[in-house]
Amino acid sequence: MTLLTPQAAGVFVIAVTPFHPDGRIDMDSCDTMVDFYLGAGATGLTVLGMMGEAPKLTVEESRDVVARILARVDGRVPVVVGVSAPGFAQIGALTQMVMDLGAAGVMVAPPGNLRTDDQIVTYYSQVAELIGDVPFVLQDFPLVTGVQIAPKVIARIVNDLPTCVCLKHEDWPGLEKITALRKAGALDRPLSILCGNGGLFLPEEMARGADGAMTGFAYPEMMVSVVEHYTKGEAERGRDIFDAYLPLARFEQQPGMGLAIRKYTLARRGIIAHDALRKPGAGLSANSRAEVDRLIERQEQRLKELG
Amino acid sequence: MTLLTPQAAGVFVIAVTPFHPDGRIDMDSCDTMVDFYLGAGATGLTVLGMMGEAPKLTVEESRDVVARILARVDGRVPVVVGVSAPGFAQIGALTQMVMDLGAAGVMVAPPGNLRTDDQIVTYYSQVAELIGDVPFVLQDFPLVTGVQIAPKVIARIVNDLPTCVCLKHEDWPGLEKITALRKAGALDRPLSILCGNGGLFLPEEMARGADGAMTGFAYPEMMVSVVEHYTKGEAERGRDIFDAYLPLARFEQQPGMGLAIRKYTLARRGIIAHDALRKPGAGLSANSRAEVDRLIERQEQRLKELG
Amino acid sequence: MTLLTPQAAGVFVIAVTPFHPDGRIDMDSCDTMVDFYLGAGATGLTVLGMMGEAPKLTVEESRDVVARILARVDGRVPVVVGVSAPGFAQIGALTQMVMDLGAAGVMVAPPGNLRTDDQIVTYYSQVAELIGDVPFVLQDFPLVTGVQIAPKVIARIVNDLPTCVCLKHEDWPGLEKITALRKAGALDRPLSILCGNGGLFLPEEMARGADGAMTGFAYPEMMVSVVEHYTKGEAERGRDIFDAYLPLARFEQQPGMGLAIRKYTLARRGIIAHDALRKPGAGLSANSRAEVDRLIERQEQRLKELG
Amino acid sequence: MTLLTPQAAGVFVIAVTPFHPDGRIDMDSCDTMVDFYLGAGATGLTVLGMMGEAPKLTVEESRDVVARILARVDGRVPVVVGVSAPGFAQIGALTQMVMDLGAAGVMVAPPGNLRTDDQIVTYYSQVAELIGDVPFVLQDFPLVTGVQIAPKVIARIVNDLPTCVCLKHEDWPGLEKITALRKAGALDRPLSILCGNGGLFLPEEMARGADGAMTGFAYPEMMVSVVEHYTKGEAERGRDIFDAYLPLARFEQQPGMGLAIRKYTLARRGIIAHDALRKPGAGLSANSRAEVDRLIERQEQRLKELG
């Protein structure tokens, strides 16, 4: 089993949780989804992300989904599992379970009541102590958690805790934060920075020094391509690709509707069997489905023009 | 097994979760705590309340605690279990588990993202559908959930959903809400109203028409006495008792510190073996312990004066 | 003086407040900005919007800015003024002041403590009573205000209060809300729906039945063009234009940085003299400025391709 | 004119804003209120506090109220004026206005968007630079502002900014914060700590090292007495007094209703002429008025017993 390292780069796609229309987990779609993501060039996967439907799963279901996905991945890429929970007992139990199953590391978001610099550092110190030598991803997503983590606080955490190997960067605006962390001397050791927000700022994030993306747009090939072109120094070509997908990426990034759009798109592409969301989630209206369809048509047209 | 009914009255003490200093659950203290609460006149118990340490338990631990408490209670009083969770799968699984163990009903708080009247009604309709014929307590606690439920929305829920048998009233200020719900014609059928906030407004709540308390002050005998005196029409005597305990009740009601004070007091009284909180909770400073000690001394003195 | 009506359509540009680098208001730039906006096809202007720097102005400065802009507009298009304030006395005084100066109406966002349907309806009833026959815009912007207004609550307000002539639609996701309000019978009388969010969803909003935009992208000509093409039934051409501007529009829409980007762009275009923000606002880093420059170059290139 | 100093102690009563039933400011009641507060032993006054009705006043009204109160006080005690506002221009203008009128200093709460330690320090540095040599009170009230200020951040502010002379301490729980700031070496220079929360924790706050209270209970004589007894080393007598008033103080401290209760009590005592609140505030129901009446009767009885 490979563990996550500070050299993590490329695109870690955040996997959706496929359901049958009646609400049961669709295990077969877990397989087709994994195959697709890896075929599209994903260098890693992240499951049970906080913005998805992970909180709608029972503990047993969470284990089954993680097990199924890990089995299908079969060591080809590292798999990170989100283990954020209100209490340490839950975080500890979930971490042990997924690491035993073969995960490469875990991801932890700060609980929403943290405010001061020291509270945040203390929390991650306690988490790191709890999970021992398991590498973890610090999820920095203030828009949802309400917790703002200054670059110097991230630096304190990274410098103090060797198991903090990766930052899931989802601050908004966050470009200056990448620049601050990439400044010579800001950190004592390497840190992988993978960016979120559906890839909506990926070109600029790569230009600032990010190592890639960890997020969930329904066309991960866009993110793979942008990261590759930026890595090869072909920024303009990367932007051309990005711009072609942007109208849909923007549409998918609507808070409160994004997951339904993503699942609809994935199902339309045949990557999962159904676009079903578990209650209380709701699917797309006919209007919205038509809008996505139209955006995809135009996207394909634009990609054809680009060649 | 007795189910919770709209006739629920008296004091449902919200039980703490006792831990050993090393963080393990202290099962023996579950027994002594139950014995004490029932001896003090509790007419019911509530476990896994959202303000306590329930979120720090794994699913297995939650089951073990509920099972132990139910075994000790042994049907003498109804036991309500808090099952609030981000997703319906978890709520459903937890409900089934605790009802199978012998709980009398469950308590559900609204998730923090609910805002409009219809969103709230829809949520509870879905919960009621999910848990079938299990009676439930609607937990109305805006200060923590951020969700404000107008009296007419509570009325819609109660009138529409026969399994909603009890309101845990914890709005602040909420006295007018009790009056609104007790007005002739406000509701189509009986509803138990049990009040929270550590009993800090219990005399006024009883005068407005509440049926009792569902909360967790370390001297539940105060709440039992206030409810009894109000029920017997001896309001002034009830207030005398209340006032004697108020300095400590006020101190225990400090947000962020209340549970540590309550556990310290319970341990000091010999009701649980340790005042330990699970991480990331912290215990009381020496100063705070001395303050509680002094408040208890004065309380005992005052009770002696009252006779 | 023309008052705002339910027939308001097109693009009401939300004006920035131009400052000198030393923090004084730049009155000359108010003039050049007005000239530019009207030249670009704006059908109205909105000043003192809540997301801008209006709260950084003293009452006297607010009056001076509104007076200067109204003088320059000179009745050519209606001007709406944001008057949201914590208290009715302030709302009333500000409304009277700007209407005396010649504004066409005012815009009012709900205070952040409103939650239940009735609280929201009551608030707007009191506002409408307070400002008499002044037409007002209901600003629906939950991401910032925290207040969620269901379509049926908007309908109650519109149907009850004849002076509520326009909805500034900025819910996110909000497309279904437009559809709900445009459904036959939803409203008793006409209502102008103008959309916000920097125009980021303008094509879809127009398709759902919006009348235009009320927001502040630094290239208002994009919004004007999109609205015109949709109005003429040339949706695809509208989308082509939209897509060309989208990379920059997306960049400008970053919360916390958007205004600095917008001012930098406006100053770069010569529309205002300086990109200065008043403290505690901060300007753009050299990196960000270069990113905007690059986005504008690519945008011009793409527009040339489109012809 | 005397300026506020770090030696400020005793009770700074937070004044209400008296209105006529029709909503006009009741200037005569400003006089009787000042006379009463000073007669009750107040060592200072604070006006335009953020929890009161200050945001309901126009700028002109604010000036008139401050002028009237300052005229009546006539230099006998220092008067602090709350100047918190969204922008520096407003803070600067209001500060200059009230200092010209004879205020002793101003009070500034942090805007709700501040999160990290450095953001908070930077904000107060900018405020201090803006208002020059005017002494100011740092208002620390996380329950309302959402901003948590660690003791070491307060220390940085106090040590860096000589004009920060007083902390209005209203964190909850905040007793450990007082202890932390009173520890030898925590601060480089003296700091007045005056506590809020309606005096609900005043005995414990005094014991921890507070200098007094800055808050608004309708019986300021209680707070004056508690502070005096603690200062003289007569803690038990101080507690006896405190306990006698606690049932009413607790009732007045209900969020959302406190000000109506306070005004009703002040009017009942003849200290102001009317209990009117400005819209959208609402007065007390008949039930609530009767509850206050009963609490006052019992309070008087208990004080008689205490002698």
Side-chain angles (χ1 to χ4, degrees), chain A residues 54-61 85-90 93 123 126 129 278-280, chain B residues 54-61 85-90 93 123 126 129 278-280:
Chain A
K56 297 179 185 171
L57 306 183
T58 64
V59 171
E60 292 73 23
E61 290 175 328
F88 285 146
Q90 294 163 316
Y123 182 78
Q126 291 178 322
E129 188 193 333
R278 255 201 186 166
K279 278 192 197 171
Chain B
K56 298 180 186 171
L57 304 183
T58 64
V59 171
E60 292 73 23
E61 289 175 329
F88 285 148
Q90 294 163 315
Y123 182 79
Q126 292 178 321
E129 190 193 332
R278 255 200 186 167
K279 280 189 194 174

Side-chain angles (χ1 to χ4, degrees), chain C residues 55-59 87 89-90 278, chain D residues 55-57 59 86-87 89-90 278:
Chain C
K56 298 179 185 170
L57 305 183
T58 64
V59 171
Q90 293 164 317
R278 253 196 189 172
Chain D
K56 298 180 186 171
L57 305 183
V59 170
Q90 294 163 317
R278 253 197 188 170

Side-chain angles (χ1 to χ4, degrees), chain B residues 248-282:
Chain B
L248 181 61
R250 154 209 69 118
F251 200 72
E252 194 188 294
Q253 199 59 9
Q254 295 176 75
M257 238 176 106
L259 188 62
I261 294 172
R262 187 177 300 164
K263 281 195 154 181
Y264 172 74
T265 310
L266 290 172
R268 192 182 183 280
R269 299 186 75 190
I271 296 160
I272 57 177
H274 316 282
D275 63 357
L277 274 78
R278 255 200 186 167
K279 280 189 194 174

Side-chain angles (χ1 to χ4, degrees), chain B residues 138-160:
Chain B
L138 191 171
Q139 183 170 17
D140 182 21
F141 195 5
L143 206 69
V144 163
T145 62
V147 181
Q148 285 183 28
I149 316 182
K152 67 193 239 184
V153 173
I154 295 174
R156 282 174 62 189
I157 293 169
V158 172
N159 292 341
D160 288 2

Side-chain angles (χ1 to χ4, degrees), chain B:
Chain B
M1 187 196 63
T2 319
L3 292 177
L4 195 70
T5 73
Q7 282 70 46
V11 177
F12 279 59
V13 182
I14 298 197
V16 301
T17 306
F19 294 106
H20 287 283
D22 64 6
R24 283 175 304 120
I25 295 174
D26 176 2
M27 287 295 179
D28 291 338
S29 285
C30 286
D31 291 347
T32 52
M33 178 178 67
V34 165
D35 294 346
F36 168 75
Y37 286 154
L38 269 57
T43 56
L45 291 185
T46 300
V47 296
L48 306 186
M50 66 181 294
M51 287 303 288
E53 298 185 280
K56 298 180 186 171
L57 304 183
T58 64
V59 171
E60 292 73 23
E61 289 175 329
S62 297
R63 188 193 52 224
D64 293 348
V65 166
V66 171
R68 180 74 170 233
I69 287 178
L70 282 166
R72 190 70 172 197
V73 169
D74 196 22
R76 287 177 288 168
V77 298
V79 176
V80 173
V81 182
V83 298
S84 302
F88 285 148
Q90 294 163 315
I91 294 175
L94 194 49
T95 297
Q96 186 171 342
M97 182 177 87
V98 302
M99 295 308 291
D100 287 349
L101 289 169
V106 297
M107 179 161 70
V108 182
N113 61 323
L114 300 183
R115 285 290 175 274
T116 71
D117 290 1
D118 285 352
Q119 287 172 346
I120 297 166
V121 171
T122 300
Y123 182 79
Y124 277 102
S125 300
Q126 292 178 321
V127 166
E129 190 193 332
L130 173 78
I131 63 178
D133 55 4
V134 175
F136 72 93
V137 179
L138 191 171
Q139 183 170 17
D140 182 21
F141 195 5
L143 206 69
V144 163
T145 62
V147 181
Q148 285 183 28
I149 316 182
K152 67 193 239 184
V153 173
I154 295 174
R156 282 174 62 189
I157 293 169
V158 172
N159 292 341
D160 288 2
L161 309 172
T163 49
C164 179
V165 297
C166 178
L167 172 71
K168 176 161 169 25
H169 168 279
E170 205 146 17
D171 200 352
W172 206 18
L175 295 172
E176 302 304 333
K177 187 176 271 189
I178 301 175
T179 298
L181 290 170
R182 285 299 184 231
K183 219 163 73 177
L187 300 174
D188 294 348
R189 54 184 190 75
L191 173 75
S192 166
I193 300 181
L194 302 178
C195 299
N197 286 313
L200 221 56
F201 299 95
L202 192 50
E204 288 84 5
E205 289 160 346
M206 290 304 295
R208 296 287 187 117
D211 298 300
M214 183 185 281
T215 189
F217 181 41
Y219 283 83
E221 52 265 54
M222 176 274 272
M223 302 191 288
V224 170
S225 180
V226 168
V227 171
E228 285 178 358
H229 281 101
Y230 266 84
T231 306
K232 288 189 291 187
E234 299 170 355
E236 290 309 299
R237 177 67 184 172
R239 282 177 182 274
D240 289 342
I241 305 285
F242 175 79
D243 288 356
Y245 286 96
L246 182 54
L248 181 61
R250 154 209 69 118
F251 200 72
E252 194 188 294
Q253 199 59 9
Q254 295 176 75
M257 238 176 106
L259 188 62
I261 294 172
R262 187 177 300 164
K263 281 195 154 181
Y264 172 74
T265 310
L266 290 172
R268 192 182 183 280
R269 299 186 75 190
I271 296 160
I272 57 177
H274 316 282
D275 63 357
L277 274 78
R278 255 200 186 167
K279 280 189 194 174
L284 292 188
S285 69
N287 274 330
S288 290
R289 287 198 301 271
E291 281 156 357
V292 174
D293 292 346
R294 192 69 199 97
L295 287 166
I296 292 174
E297 274 173 54
R298 287 181 53 88
Q299 176 176 293
E300 285 167 0
Q301 177 60 32
R302 182 69 188 135
L303 286 168
K304 206 173 297 172
E305 288 168 27
L306 283 178

